[in-house]
Amino acid sequence: MMLRKDGTALVERLDGHDFDYEEGWRLSGTGTWLLVDVEGGQVVRLALTARTRVESRAAATAPDASADEPPSTYSWSFYVDRDRDQHEWELFFLYGDPDGGNTYVMTRGTG
């Protein structure tokens, strides 16, 4: 995922959040992002507006014939927090059962 200063975004192989994670698809494409203040902190809202590719996670279960087609547009809400060890900003969302507290943390790439 690349968040550009102009509010546009490039999404590469990003899994679904919450229960959508269980579907096993990964989406790529272009979209937009916005940093918003919410109760308890800040959230990055990412919207995939043009899907260019769909992939499956290797560990995902085989697709069910009755499963829905992966979405052509999608949105994520990334929570903004500080890494406890290095005190750097990090973005994450919850996946699987929201009560489970599983986090999908984005890491900063070089370049």
Side-chain angles (χ1 to χ4, degrees), residues 25-100:
W25 44 254
R26 289 185 162 163
L27 301 177
S28 297
T30 58
T32 60
W33 71 275
L34 181 65
L35 178 65
V36 296
D37 292 320
V38 296
E39 186 177 328
Q42 293 182 310
V43 173
V44 171
R45 305 250 192 245
L46 174 64
L48 177 74
T49 56
R51 185 183 80 188
T52 57
R53 189 171 67 245
V54 175
E55 296 177 36
S56 294
R57 281 192 320 277
T61 58
D64 183 337
S66 65
D68 293 332
E69 169 73 18
S72 58
T73 62
Y74 196 75
S75 62
W76 294 264
S77 291
F78 289 90
Y79 298 97
V80 180
D81 200 2
R82 284 227 185 237
D83 174 86
R84 291 185 183 130
D85 298 327
Q86 298 177 6
H87 304 289
E88 294 182 3
W89 293 107
E90 65 182 8
L91 298 176
F92 68 94
F93 63 80
L94 300 174
Y95 70 90
D97 184 343
D99 293 332

